[in-house]
PDB file of all heavy atoms in Angstrom:
ATOM      1  N   LEU C   1       0.834  -1.211   0.000  1.00 95.00           N
ATOM      2  CA  LEU C   1       0.000   0.000   0.000  1.00 95.00           C
ATOM      3  C   LEU C   1       0.863   1.252   0.000  1.00 95.00           C
ATOM      4  O   LEU C   1       0.588   2.212  -0.727  1.00 95.00           O
ATOM      5  CB  LEU C   1      -0.943  -0.006   1.205  1.00 95.00           C
ATOM      6  CG  LEU C   1      -1.853   1.217   1.345  1.00 95.00           C
ATOM      7  CD1 LEU C   1      -2.774   1.367   0.143  1.00 95.00           C
ATOM      8  CD2 LEU C   1      -2.660   1.127   2.632  1.00 95.00           C
ATOM      9  N   ARG C   2       1.922   1.236   0.782  1.00 95.00           N
ATOM     10  CA  ARG C   2       2.827   2.386   0.811  1.00 95.00           C
ATOM     11  C   ARG C   2       3.477   2.607  -0.551  1.00 95.00           C
ATOM     12  O   ARG C   2       3.561   3.740  -1.031  1.00 95.00           O
ATOM     13  CB  ARG C   2       3.899   2.188   1.890  1.00 95.00           C
ATOM     14  CG  ARG C   2       4.860   3.357   1.972  1.00 95.00           C
ATOM     15  CD  ARG C   2       5.596   3.431   3.266  1.00 95.00           C
ATOM     16  NE  ARG C   2       6.627   2.418   3.396  1.00 95.00           N
ATOM     17  CZ  ARG C   2       7.528   2.411   4.365  1.00 95.00           C
ATOM     18  NH1 ARG C   2       7.516   3.354   5.289  1.00 95.00           N
ATOM     19  NH2 ARG C   2       8.421   1.469   4.431  1.00 95.00           N
ATOM     20  N   LEU C   3       3.889   1.538  -1.213  1.00 96.00           N
ATOM     21  CA  LEU C   3       4.493   1.653  -2.542  1.00 96.00           C
ATOM     22  C   LEU C   3       3.486   2.171  -3.572  1.00 96.00           C
ATOM     23  O   LEU C   3       3.809   3.032  -4.393  1.00 96.00           O
ATOM     24  CB  LEU C   3       5.040   0.299  -2.993  1.00 96.00           C
ATOM     25  CG  LEU C   3       6.222  -0.271  -2.213  1.00 96.00           C
ATOM     26  CD1 LEU C   3       6.505  -1.702  -2.653  1.00 96.00           C
ATOM     27  CD2 LEU C   3       7.441   0.596  -2.390  1.00 96.00           C
ATOM     28  N   VAL C   4       2.267   1.642  -3.523  1.00 96.00           N
ATOM     29  CA  VAL C   4       1.239   2.054  -4.479  1.00 96.00           C
ATOM     30  C   VAL C   4       0.859   3.518  -4.263  1.00 96.00           C
ATOM     31  O   VAL C   4       0.698   4.272  -5.225  1.00 96.00           O
ATOM     32  CB  VAL C   4      -0.005   1.134  -4.386  1.00 96.00           C
ATOM     33  CG1 VAL C   4      -1.172   1.692  -5.166  1.00 96.00           C
ATOM     34  CG2 VAL C   4       0.340  -0.258  -4.874  1.00 96.00           C
ATOM     35  N   ARG C   5       0.729   3.925  -3.013  1.00 96.00           N
ATOM     36  CA  ARG C   5       0.399   5.330  -2.744  1.00 96.00           C
ATOM     37  C   ARG C   5       1.497   6.265  -3.247  1.00 96.00           C
ATOM     38  O   ARG C   5       1.205   7.339  -3.785  1.00 96.00           O
ATOM     39  CB  ARG C   5       0.172   5.547  -1.245  1.00 96.00           C
ATOM     40  CG  ARG C   5      -1.161   5.039  -0.759  1.00 96.00           C
ATOM     41  CD  ARG C   5      -1.316   5.238   0.730  1.00 96.00           C
ATOM     42  NE  ARG C   5      -2.646   4.869   1.191  1.00 96.00           N
ATOM     43  CZ  ARG C   5      -2.997   4.852   2.471  1.00 96.00           C
ATOM     44  NH1 ARG C   5      -2.119   5.171   3.411  1.00 96.00           N
ATOM     45  NH2 ARG C   5      -4.222   4.503   2.812  1.00 96.00           N
ATOM     46  N   ALA C   6       2.747   5.876  -3.081  1.00 96.00           N
ATOM     47  CA  ALA C   6       3.858   6.707  -3.566  1.00 96.00           C
ATOM     48  C   ALA C   6       3.824   6.808  -5.091  1.00 96.00           C
ATOM     49  O   ALA C   6       4.011   7.897  -5.654  1.00 96.00           O
ATOM     50  CB  ALA C   6       5.189   6.130  -3.098  1.00 96.00           C
ATOM     51  N   GLU C   7       3.571   5.692  -5.755  1.00 95.00           N
ATOM     52  CA  GLU C   7       3.518   5.699  -7.220  1.00 95.00           C
ATOM     53  C   GLU C   7       2.305   6.482  -7.714  1.00 95.00           C
ATOM     54  O   GLU C   7       2.370   7.177  -8.718  1.00 95.00           O
ATOM     55  CB  GLU C   7       3.478   4.261  -7.735  1.00 95.00           C
ATOM     56  CG  GLU C   7       3.855   4.123  -9.167  1.00 95.00           C
ATOM     57  CD  GLU C   7       5.282   4.552  -9.486  1.00 95.00           C
ATOM     58  OE1 GLU C   7       6.166   4.420  -8.622  1.00 95.00           O
ATOM     59  OE2 GLU C   7       5.500   5.032 -10.611  1.00 95.00           O
ATOM     60  N   ARG C   8       1.203   6.399  -6.982  1.00 96.00           N
ATOM     61  CA  ARG C   8      -0.002   7.160  -7.328  1.00 96.00           C
ATOM     62  C   ARG C   8       0.275   8.657  -7.224  1.00 96.00           C
ATOM     63  O   ARG C   8      -0.158   9.439  -8.077  1.00 96.00           O
ATOM     64  CB  ARG C   8      -1.143   6.761  -6.398  1.00 96.00           C
ATOM     65  CG  ARG C   8      -2.433   7.500  -6.650  1.00 96.00           C
ATOM     66  CD  ARG C   8      -3.513   6.976  -5.697  1.00 96.00           C
ATOM     67  NE  ARG C   8      -4.737   7.709  -5.854  1.00 96.00           N
ATOM     68  CZ  ARG C   8      -5.146   8.665  -5.027  1.00 96.00           C
ATOM     69  NH1 ARG C   8      -4.429   9.002  -3.979  1.00 96.00           N
ATOM     70  NH2 ARG C   8      -6.291   9.283  -5.234  1.00 96.00           N
ATOM     71  N   THR C   9       1.002   9.054  -6.213  1.00 95.00           N
ATOM     72  CA  THR C   9       1.366  10.460  -6.043  1.00 95.00           C
ATOM     73  C   THR C   9       2.229  10.932  -7.209  1.00 95.00           C
ATOM     74  O   THR C   9       2.010  12.027  -7.751  1.00 95.00           O
ATOM     75  CB  THR C   9       2.106  10.670  -4.707  1.00 95.00           C
ATOM     76  OG1 THR C   9       1.234  10.279  -3.644  1.00 95.00           O
ATOM     77  CG2 THR C   9       2.539  12.104  -4.525  1.00 95.00           C
ATOM     78  N   LYS C  10       3.189  10.115  -7.611  1.00 94.00           N
ATOM     79  CA  LYS C  10       4.035  10.466  -8.766  1.00 94.00           C
ATOM     80  C   LYS C  10       3.198  10.603 -10.030  1.00 94.00           C
ATOM     81  O   LYS C  10       3.400  11.532 -10.821  1.00 94.00           O
ATOM     82  CB  LYS C  10       5.119   9.406  -8.985  1.00 94.00           C
ATOM     83  CG  LYS C  10       6.198   9.393  -7.956  1.00 94.00           C
ATOM     84  CD  LYS C  10       7.174   8.271  -8.276  1.00 94.00           C
ATOM     85  CE  LYS C  10       8.091   7.990  -7.130  1.00 94.00           C
ATOM     86  NZ  LYS C  10       8.948   6.817  -7.397  1.00 94.00           N
ATOM     87  N   SER C  11       2.264   9.686 -10.227  1.00 92.00           N
ATOM     88  CA  SER C  11       1.392   9.738 -11.405  1.00 92.00           C
ATOM     89  C   SER C  11       0.523  10.989 -11.385  1.00 92.00           C
ATOM     90  O   SER C  11       0.306  11.622 -12.421  1.00 92.00           O
ATOM     91  CB  SER C  11       0.493   8.502 -11.469  1.00 92.00           C
ATOM     92  OG  SER C  11       1.252   7.349 -11.605  1.00 92.00           O
ATOM     93  N   TYR C  12       0.020  11.335 -10.206  1.00 93.00           N
ATOM     94  CA  TYR C  12      -0.801  12.541 -10.077  1.00 93.00           C
ATOM     95  C   TYR C  12       0.027  13.784 -10.400  1.00 93.00           C
ATOM     96  O   TYR C  12      -0.431  14.672 -11.130  1.00 93.00           O
ATOM     97  CB  TYR C  12      -1.385  12.639  -8.668  1.00 93.00           C
ATOM     98  CG  TYR C  12      -2.243  13.868  -8.472  1.00 93.00           C
ATOM     99  CD1 TYR C  12      -3.554  13.886  -8.936  1.00 93.00           C
ATOM    100  CD2 TYR C  12      -1.743  15.001  -7.845  1.00 93.00           C
ATOM    101  CE1 TYR C  12      -4.347  15.011  -8.775  1.00 93.00           C
ATOM    102  CE2 TYR C  12      -2.521  16.131  -7.682  1.00 93.00           C
ATOM    103  CZ  TYR C  12      -3.822  16.125  -8.153  1.00 93.00           C
ATOM    104  OH  TYR C  12      -4.595  17.244  -8.001  1.00 93.00           O
ATOM    105  N   ASP C  13       1.228  13.839  -9.863  1.00 92.00           N
ATOM    106  CA  ASP C  13       2.100  14.991 -10.128  1.00 92.00           C
ATOM    107  C   ASP C  13       2.408  15.114 -11.619  1.00 92.00           C
ATOM    108  O   ASP C  13       2.384  16.229 -12.171  1.00 92.00           O
ATOM    109  CB  ASP C  13       3.392  14.887  -9.326  1.00 92.00           C
ATOM    110  CG  ASP C  13       3.164  15.047  -7.830  1.00 92.00           C
ATOM    111  OD1 ASP C  13       2.088  15.559  -7.437  1.00 92.00           O
ATOM    112  OD2 ASP C  13       4.058  14.651  -7.058  1.00 92.00           O
ATOM    113  N   LEU C  14       2.673  13.993 -12.287  1.00 87.00           N
ATOM    114  CA  LEU C  14       2.924  14.013 -13.724  1.00 87.00           C
ATOM    115  C   LEU C  14       1.687  14.483 -14.479  1.00 87.00           C
ATOM    116  O   LEU C  14       1.781  15.328 -15.377  1.00 87.00           O
ATOM    117  CB  LEU C  14       3.346  12.622 -14.219  1.00 87.00           C
ATOM    118  CG  LEU C  14       3.490  12.468 -15.729  1.00 87.00           C
ATOM    119  CD1 LEU C  14       4.611  13.364 -16.260  1.00 87.00           C
ATOM    120  CD2 LEU C  14       3.746  11.024 -16.097  1.00 87.00           C
ATOM    121  N   MET C  15       0.542  13.966 -14.104  1.00 86.00           N
ATOM    122  CA  MET C  15      -0.701  14.337 -14.760  1.00 86.00           C
ATOM    123  C   MET C  15      -0.971  15.835 -14.617  1.00 86.00           C
ATOM    124  O   MET C  15      -1.302  16.513 -15.589  1.00 86.00           O
ATOM    125  CB  MET C  15      -1.865  13.537 -14.155  1.00 86.00           C
ATOM    126  CG  MET C  15      -3.212  13.818 -14.775  1.00 86.00           C
ATOM    127  SD  MET C  15      -4.530  12.812 -14.045  1.00 86.00           S
ATOM    128  CE  MET C  15      -4.639  13.519 -12.409  1.00 86.00           C
ATOM    129  N   ARG C  16      -0.786  16.365 -13.428  1.00 88.00           N
ATOM    130  CA  ARG C  16      -1.027  17.801 -13.191  1.00 88.00           C
ATOM    131  C   ARG C  16      -0.007  18.654 -13.934  1.00 88.00           C
ATOM    132  O   ARG C  16      -0.337  19.720 -14.465  1.00 88.00           O
ATOM    133  CB  ARG C  16      -0.997  18.117 -11.696  1.00 88.00           C
ATOM    134  CG  ARG C  16      -2.121  17.486 -10.914  1.00 88.00           C
ATOM    135  CD  ARG C  16      -3.502  17.886 -11.386  1.00 88.00           C
ATOM    136  NE  ARG C  16      -3.693  19.302 -11.158  1.00 88.00           N
ATOM    137  CZ  ARG C  16      -4.567  20.069 -11.795  1.00 88.00           C
ATOM    138  NH1 ARG C  16      -5.349  19.553 -12.700  1.00 88.00           N
ATOM    139  NH2 ARG C  16      -4.664  21.347 -11.519  1.00 88.00           N
ATOM    140  N   THR C  17       1.230  18.215 -14.002  1.00 85.00           N
ATOM    141  CA  THR C  17       2.258  18.959 -14.729  1.00 85.00           C
ATOM    142  C   THR C  17       1.907  19.038 -16.205  1.00 85.00           C
ATOM    143  O   THR C  17       2.018  20.104 -16.823  1.00 85.00           O
ATOM    144  CB  THR C  17       3.634  18.289 -14.553  1.00 85.00           C
ATOM    145  OG1 THR C  17       3.951  18.241 -13.169  1.00 85.00           O
ATOM    146  CG2 THR C  17       4.718  19.032 -15.302  1.00 85.00           C
ATOM    147  N   VAL C  18       1.473  17.931 -16.764  1.00 81.00           N
ATOM    148  CA  VAL C  18       1.098  17.897 -18.176  1.00 81.00           C
ATOM    149  C   VAL C  18      -0.141  18.769 -18.417  1.00 81.00           C
ATOM    150  O   VAL C  18      -0.207  19.515 -19.395  1.00 81.00           O
ATOM    151  CB  VAL C  18       0.857  16.445 -18.641  1.00 81.00           C
ATOM    152  CG1 VAL C  18       0.237  16.398 -20.020  1.00 81.00           C
ATOM    153  CG2 VAL C  18       2.161  15.662 -18.617  1.00 81.00           C
ATOM    154  N   GLN C  19      -1.118  18.710 -17.511  1.00 80.00           N
ATOM    155  CA  GLN C  19      -2.342  19.484 -17.681  1.00 80.00           C
ATOM    156  C   GLN C  19      -2.095  20.987 -17.548  1.00 80.00           C
ATOM    157  O   GLN C  19      -2.757  21.785 -18.199  1.00 80.00           O
ATOM    158  CB  GLN C  19      -3.397  19.060 -16.653  1.00 80.00           C
ATOM    159  CG  GLN C  19      -3.995  17.703 -16.930  1.00 80.00           C
ATOM    160  CD  GLN C  19      -4.917  17.238 -15.819  1.00 80.00           C
ATOM    161  OE1 GLN C  19      -4.882  17.757 -14.701  1.00 80.00           O
ATOM    162  NE2 GLN C  19      -5.740  16.240 -16.116  1.00 80.00           N
ATOM    163  N   LYS C  20      -1.156  21.366 -16.696  1.00 83.00           N
ATOM    164  CA  LYS C  20      -0.897  22.783 -16.452  1.00 83.00           C
ATOM    165  C   LYS C  20       0.183  23.371 -17.349  1.00 83.00           C
ATOM    166  O   LYS C  20       0.590  24.514 -17.156  1.00 83.00           O
ATOM    167  CB  LYS C  20      -0.492  22.989 -14.987  1.00 83.00           C
ATOM    168  CG  LYS C  20      -1.623  22.792 -14.020  1.00 83.00           C
ATOM    169  CD  LYS C  20      -1.175  23.122 -12.618  1.00 83.00           C
ATOM    170  CE  LYS C  20      -2.337  23.064 -11.667  1.00 83.00           C
ATOM    171  NZ  LYS C  20      -1.973  23.515 -10.330  1.00 83.00           N
ATOM    172  N   ALA C  21       0.616  22.618 -18.327  1.00 77.00           N
ATOM    173  CA  ALA C  21       1.652  23.115 -19.236  1.00 77.00           C
ATOM    174  C   ALA C  21       1.111  24.342 -19.984  1.00 77.00           C
ATOM    175  O   ALA C  21      -0.079  24.410 -20.296  1.00 77.00           O
ATOM    176  CB  ALA C  21       2.056  22.027 -20.218  1.00 77.00           C
ATOM    177  N   PRO C  22       1.979  25.304 -20.258  1.00 78.00           N
ATOM    178  CA  PRO C  22       1.533  26.486 -21.005  1.00 78.00           C
ATOM    179  C   PRO C  22       0.952  26.082 -22.361  1.00 78.00           C
ATOM    180  O   PRO C  22       1.324  25.067 -22.941  1.00 78.00           O
ATOM    181  CB  PRO C  22       2.820  27.298 -21.194  1.00 78.00           C
ATOM    182  CG  PRO C  22       3.762  26.779 -20.182  1.00 78.00           C
ATOM    183  CD  PRO C  22       3.378  25.376 -19.890  1.00 78.00           C
ATOM    184  N   GLU C  23       0.041  26.902 -22.857  1.00 75.00           N
ATOM    185  CA  GLU C  23      -0.651  26.579 -24.107  1.00 75.00           C
ATOM    186  C   GLU C  23       0.284  26.571 -25.310  1.00 75.00           C
ATOM    187  O   GLU C  23       0.024  25.877 -26.285  1.00 75.00           O
ATOM    188  CB  GLU C  23      -1.795  27.560 -24.338  1.00 75.00           C
ATOM    189  CG  GLU C  23      -2.944  27.343 -23.376  1.00 75.00           C
ATOM    190  CD  GLU C  23      -4.108  28.268 -23.662  1.00 75.00           C
ATOM    191  OE1 GLU C  23      -4.216  28.786 -24.793  1.00 75.00           O
ATOM    192  OE2 GLU C  23      -4.909  28.461 -22.747  1.00 75.00           O
ATOM    193  N   ASP C  24       1.355  27.349 -25.248  1.00 73.00           N
ATOM    194  CA  ASP C  24       2.266  27.382 -26.391  1.00 73.00           C
ATOM    195  C   ASP C  24       3.159  26.140 -26.472  1.00 73.00           C
ATOM    196  O   ASP C  24       3.819  25.915 -27.478  1.00 73.00           O
ATOM    197  CB  ASP C  24       3.119  28.663 -26.368  1.00 73.00           C
ATOM    198  CG  ASP C  24       3.941  28.799 -25.103  1.00 73.00           C
ATOM    199  OD1 ASP C  24       3.528  28.246 -24.060  1.00 73.00           O
ATOM    200  OD2 ASP C  24       4.992  29.456 -25.150  1.00 73.00           O
ATOM    201  N   VAL C  25       3.185  25.346 -25.420  1.00 75.00           N
ATOM    202  CA  VAL C  25       3.947  24.095 -25.424  1.00 75.00           C
ATOM    203  C   VAL C  25       3.032  22.983 -25.917  1.00 75.00           C
ATOM    204  O   VAL C  25       1.923  22.793 -25.414  1.00 75.00           O
ATOM    205  CB  VAL C  25       4.472  23.753 -24.003  1.00 75.00           C
ATOM    206  CG1 VAL C  25       5.153  22.406 -23.996  1.00 75.00           C
ATOM    207  CG2 VAL C  25       5.377  24.844 -23.501  1.00 75.00           C
TER     208      VAL C  25
END
């Protein structure tokens, strides 16, 4: 569970980074 939660957090951070990328990128 600890490993899955850590990986889920990484996936969430990646998803948010991609979603919040500037429009010109």
Side-chain angles (χ1 to χ4, degrees):
L1 179 61
R2 180 160 73 170
L3 293 172
V4 169
R5 284 178 175 174
E7 198 62 31
R8 179 178 177 258
T9 300
K10 289 178 193 175
S11 297
Y12 180 80
D13 292 343
L14 173 64
M15 181 179 69
R16 294 301 295 158
T17 301
V18 170
Q19 288 174 343
K20 289 185 174 186
E23 289 183 21
D24 59 333
V25 175

